[in-house]
Amino acid sequence: MPNIASAKKRVRQSEVSRMRNRHMRTRLRTQIKNVLHAIAAGDREAALSAYQAAVPVIDSIADKGIIHKNKAARHKSRLNAHIKALQA
């Protein structure tokens, strides 16, 4: 356990940050799963609307630095490719 006041404060701050980041990551995974479930069901319209709801969440989390911007781009690209494959 930290003895210095600033170290104690840092522990408190990092715990709050960890909980916030965990909440945001969970939100991200839920949005991605919603798109994947719609794709698995073969429902292109539902997949497209779920994708459009997921993109702002993915971008927001990348902007906050919770995930890397390239990871966000990879998620969006792969989801979009799956949706386009439903059309064919």
Side-chain angles (χ1 to χ4, degrees):
M1 286 300 295
N3 294 323
I4 299 168
S6 60
K8 290 177 184 177
K9 180 178 179 181
R10 197 65 214 153
V11 168
R12 289 193 309 268
Q13 287 176 328
S14 57
E15 178 62 20
V16 169
S17 177
R18 185 182 73 85
M19 295 304 285
R20 185 180 302 122
N21 290 345
R22 190 172 75 169
H23 171 71
M24 296 296 250
R25 258 193 312 272
T26 302
R27 240 179 94 205
L28 168 74
R29 291 178 186 139
T30 302
Q31 292 292 330
I32 290 172
K33 276 190 241 177
N34 290 343
V35 179
L36 292 176
H37 287 312
I39 290 169
D43 188 357
R44 187 175 185 280
E45 292 303 317
L48 198 56
S49 65
Y51 176 75
Q52 288 170 345
V55 167
V57 174
I58 294 171
D59 288 337
S60 168
I61 291 172
D63 287 342
K64 291 177 189 346
I66 296 170
I67 63 170
H68 196 273
K69 63 185 176 83
N70 291 353
K71 181 175 181 175
R74 184 174 65 241
H75 277 304
K76 292 189 296 186
S77 175
R78 288 181 182 172
L79 290 173
N80 199 22
H82 285 307
I83 291 171
K84 285 187 177 182
L86 283 178
Q87 190 177 14

